Amino acid sequence: VFDTEIRRGKAPKESSGRGKEAYLSQWDDPSTQVVWKVQANEVQDYEVISLYDLPKGNFAVGDRYQVRIGTSQLTAATTRTGSADRKYIDNELERMRIDNTGRTEMVADSIGTISLQVGSYELSLQSAGKIKGDELFRPRAIILVPVDSPKP
């Protein structure tokens, strides 16, 4: 998340960017939009994985958010259980050299599939409506996983 640009709204708080705090927090403005630059080197379908933390305890879930890239838009809602393979969380924990996330829990959601042509894109992340709790979520990464082309 530290390779992103804040396009609109109030900037979420940047933590240390290391280990347990490698996320943006205090995302409480529904108009906030963060943007990454993405380069596609070949025509490919991608599964989009959203990796984020939620504070432990009575933190509200179900807030909706959008990921846009090119002409594709995917909408999802925050959960506690996640819908993606646990390996994405394990990989992040290993990459950050931590064994737990402290006062938060990490979630990996598979939010859909997009198709990209060769070229440069902007990938944006933003709220898809009112934020019910103190904050939307604490995003860590958006992961684009190549989807194998079906065999003829």
Side-chain angles (χ1 to χ4, degrees), residues 89-127:
I89 294 171
D90 295 340
N91 289 346
E92 181 73 2
L93 292 172
E94 183 177 323
R95 190 172 73 79
M96 290 290 145
R97 297 186 178 115
I98 56 177
D99 58 2
N100 68 68
T101 55
R103 294 179 297 204
T104 64
E105 56 188 311
M106 197 181 309
V107 179
D109 274 328
S110 175
I111 63 172
T113 303
I114 60 166
S115 297
L116 296 179
Q117 301 296 312
V118 174
S120 297
Y121 296 89
E122 287 190 341
L123 184 152
S124 69
L125 174 65
Q126 63 190 62
S127 174

Side-chain angles (χ1 to χ4, degrees), residues 14-55:
E14 292 186 8
S15 59
S16 71
R18 295 182 185 89
K20 294 178 183 180
E21 294 186 348
Y23 51 66
L24 298 174
S25 65
Q26 297 178 14
W27 189 317
D28 56 7
D29 181 351
S31 69
T32 298
Q33 179 188 54
V34 297
V35 178
W36 290 265
K37 302 286 187 197
V38 177
Q39 177 68 38
N41 295 324
E42 60 185 70
V43 176
Q44 180 71 53
D45 291 340
Y46 295 92
E47 177 183 13
V48 179
I49 306 294
S50 173
L51 191 62
Y52 57 90
D53 279 30
L54 296 174

